[in-house]
Amino acid sequence: MKNRIKIRQLQYENEAAQRLLEFLLQENVILKTRLAEALQETVFSADQMNTVEQYQEWLLQKDDVIGIMRQEAASLEKLLIKYMHDEGTMKMILHKQKKLRKDLKLLAIAFSDLRVKFNGFIETLY
């Protein structure tokens, strides 16, 4: 009974992680769209163009990281479902959940920092 409650908690937490990753993915799309709009509307100096290219690279990297983390969350979800039938997977589940928590926290902080810097950069253009 206790393990069932624990599994349910982990399922709720994993669902929240998946929602956060979906939100970050959507936010990343918005930032890439804003960058594309700035490219159409603004004449950039060479230094600014280097900065634009750097932001583009960072945003593409965030896409990759978010994609990997979405796969990890999906993998964890499968393990949680499997656990309902095989209690031997609990150690693996707890390890994956701990890693996902840590990675998600780091991603959220890094993404927030990138968004703030990006917004500051875009503001300097106008």
Side-chain angles (χ1 to χ4, degrees):
M1 181 69 163
K2 190 174 182 179
N3 277 346
R4 271 207 160 332
I5 294 169
K6 186 179 223 172
I7 288 296
R8 195 67 200 130
Q9 169 57 33
L10 293 172
Q11 287 174 323
Y12 286 132
E13 190 175 342
N14 194 49
E15 290 167 5
Q18 289 176 1
R19 286 191 305 273
L20 177 58
L21 289 167
E22 183 62 32
F23 171 76
L24 292 175
L25 187 63
Q26 291 173 2
E27 284 292 302
N28 207 39
V29 167
I30 290 168
L31 294 180
K32 288 187 291 188
T33 300
R34 290 180 54 213
L35 187 60
E37 289 169 354
L39 280 168
Q40 291 176 349
E41 299 169 355
T42 309
V43 176
F44 292 100
S45 68
D47 285 343
Q48 288 175 322
M49 198 61 194
N50 287 336
T51 304
V52 166
E53 289 172 357
Q54 185 63 58
Y55 277 110
Q56 181 180 17
E57 180 63 27
W58 287 332
L59 293 170
L60 292 173
Q61 288 172 356
K62 291 298 178 238
D63 273 341
D64 291 342
V65 170
I66 291 167
I68 290 167
M69 291 187 65
R70 288 177 78 190
Q71 289 174 350
E72 289 176 10
S75 171
L76 181 58
E77 183 178 14
K78 288 177 185 175
L79 280 175
L80 290 167
I81 291 168
K82 180 182 177 184
Y83 180 78
M84 296 296 187
H85 307 288
D86 172 18
E87 293 189 18
T89 58
M90 180 57 89
K91 189 173 183 177
M92 186 187 315
I93 288 170
L94 294 175
H95 175 73
K96 280 184 164 280
Q97 185 66 30
K98 183 177 180 179
K99 183 180 181 326
L100 183 61
R101 283 179 191 145
K102 178 184 169 192
D103 291 349
L104 197 54
K105 180 180 178 181
L106 292 173
L107 175 63
I109 290 168
F111 192 85
S112 178
D113 185 52
L114 175 62
R115 184 177 34 222
V116 168
K117 288 178 183 176
F118 177 83
N119 287 332
F121 171 71
I122 293 296
E123 186 177 324
T124 66
L125 299 177
Y126 301 106

